[in-house]
Amino acid sequence: MRTAIYAGSFDPLTQGHEDLIRRSLGFVDRVVVAVTTNVSKQPLFSVEERVALISRVIADEPRAEVRPFGGLLVDFARDIGATLLIRGLRAVSDFEYEYQMALMNRHLHADLETVFMVPSLDTTYISSSLVREVARYGGSLDGLVSPAVAEALRQKVAATR
Ligand code: PNS
């Protein structure tokens, strides 16, 4: 059984993330969406809120599960028996950071293979940070995030006003 780990902040999950989760199930048996807080980012949603939201959005995928994690990603990958680490590449600007992270993860765990995936063309411009900004100013979230995430964003923005 081939298990992939798709790790990230997912603050919040976008249509691009969702697209990659579903695409990855085309070549792995199980994908574990691993949610953590990136030390260089200040999150809008707690890890628990993000896990609950993602679980709702991908509830129709029995081969996908969502788990929170702390510490090093490679240690979590070992714990769950993942052999592939999925990361999305949207543009050339993503590459340098992703390449460095892939090499560091290989240094820490030689048997965990990083796989870069390209999201669907209509989602390549979407990032969680831009989605948060659009939500903050009351813009339309149609086509950027799923309806459940859009509702959670509206509530979060209203609560933080
Ligand atoms: O969605 P993001 O913020 O780009 O995801 C980055 C993430 C969370 C995958 C990365 O920061 C991470 O793996 N954090 C866990 C700690 C870790 O293993 N750091 C070393 C990475 S080389």
Side-chain angles (χ1 to χ4, degrees), residues 4 11 16 28 53 68 70 80 95 106 110 113 116 122 131 147 150 157:
D11 187 38
V28 299
L53 261 180
I80 63 169
F95 185 75
R106 179 177 288 164
E113 208 60 62
F116 291 123
D122 55 329
V131 164
V157 166

Side-chain angles (χ1 to χ4, degrees), residues 7-10 36 38 41 69 71-73 87 97 101 104-105:
S9 314
F10 307 112
T36 193
N38 185 330
K41 296 177 183 170
F69 79 100
L72 284 175
L73 174 57
R87 295 287 294 172
Y97 166 68
M101 194 157 66
M104 178 58 79
N105 281 328

Side-chain angles (χ1 to χ4, degrees), residues 4 8 13 22 27-28 30 40 44 54 56 68 74-75 96 104 111 124 128 133 151 156:
L13 185 88
R22 296 185 193 281
F27 62 92
V28 299
R30 177 172 82 121
S40 58
L44 180 65
I54 301 167
R56 278 178 64 191
V74 290
D75 292 335
E96 204 169 334
M104 178 58 79
D111 298 330
T124 44
S128 294
E133 191 166 326
E151 184 51 34
K156 181 66 84 175

Side-chain angles (χ1 to χ4, degrees), residues 19-95:
D19 175 63
L20 285 199
I21 294 168
R22 296 185 193 281
R23 275 176 201 283
S24 68
L25 287 168
F27 62 92
V28 299
D29 302 301
R30 177 172 82 121
V31 64
V32 175
V33 182
V35 185
T36 193
T37 293
N38 185 330
V39 286
S40 58
K41 296 177 183 170
Q42 179 67 38
L44 180 65
F45 290 97
S46 69
V47 168
E48 294 72 26
E49 288 172 323
R50 285 177 262 155
V51 167
L53 261 180
I54 301 167
S55 302
R56 278 178 64 191
V57 173
I58 58 163
D60 61 316
E61 292 283 7
R63 292 185 295 123
E65 67 182 88
V66 191
R67 302 265 302 266
F69 79 100
L72 284 175
L73 174 57
V74 290
D75 292 335
F76 185 62
R78 275 196 192 92
D79 288 349
I80 63 169
T83 52
L84 296 177
L85 167 60
I86 289 170
R87 295 287 294 172
L89 270 187
R90 289 164 304 190
V92 177
S93 52
D94 284 342
F95 185 75

Side-chain angles (χ1 to χ4, degrees), residues 114-136:
T114 297
V115 176
F116 291 123
M117 288 185 68
V118 178
S120 68
L121 193 57
D122 55 329
T123 64
T124 44
Y125 65 95
I126 305 174
S127 68
S128 294
S129 58
L130 283 180
V131 164
R132 290 196 301 273
E133 191 166 326
V134 172
R136 193 167 293 131

